[in-house]
Amino acid sequence: MGLVGHDRGVKVIARAMRDAGMEVVYMGMRVTADQIAQTALQEDADVLGISILSGAHMRLMPRLTAALEQRGLTGEVLLLVGGTIPEDDVAPLQEMGIHGVFPVGSFTSDMIDFIFANIRPSTSSG
């Protein structure tokens, strides 16, 4: 989200999520909060993961939570953010509705475990 120009890490994470059995939709770089929220709505997403390495998470995540709220997705989508996030920003991010915060160096296995522990149960019988 925003103007971050690095996507190698998010591609590694996306592959780990797929390997764990998740369907992953990667939107690419430089997308807006409104584009992300609209895609989450259209895809009926259970989890929304955002990677921000620019340090702009305290400016960008409120925009995303507002866009999700406008579409009635608050509380419907598990919201995660990862990237260059100082320890002092974790609590404020959680207070604005971010469920999981994963700073640089977090293990993909921890992210996967968090998702499986916090996702709403599927109602489909696959």
Side-chain angles (χ1 to χ4, degrees), residues 53-110:
L53 294 175
S54 67
H57 51 277
M58 296 304 288
R59 285 192 331 269
L60 296 174
M61 293 311 292
R63 294 178 191 173
L64 179 58
T65 56
L68 292 170
E69 184 176 352
Q70 290 171 351
R71 289 162 179 83
L73 295 175
T74 302
E76 296 296 315
V77 176
L78 186 68
L79 185 54
L80 314 177
V81 65
T84 308
I85 302 171
E87 181 72 29
D88 289 346
D89 290 346
V90 173
L93 286 166
Q94 291 171 332
E95 289 170 11
M96 72 176 71
I98 312 305
H99 301 105
V101 180
F102 298 92
V104 168
S106 297
F107 292 102
T108 56
S109 58
D110 292 338

Side-chain angles (χ1 to χ4, degrees), residues 10 17 38 41 47 63 76 81 83 93 109-111 114 116 122:
V10 74
M17 301 294 168
Q38 189 60 36
L41 180 65
V47 179
R63 294 178 191 173
E76 296 296 315
V81 65
L93 286 166
S109 58
D110 292 338
M111 295 173 203
F114 183 87
F116 284 136
S122 177

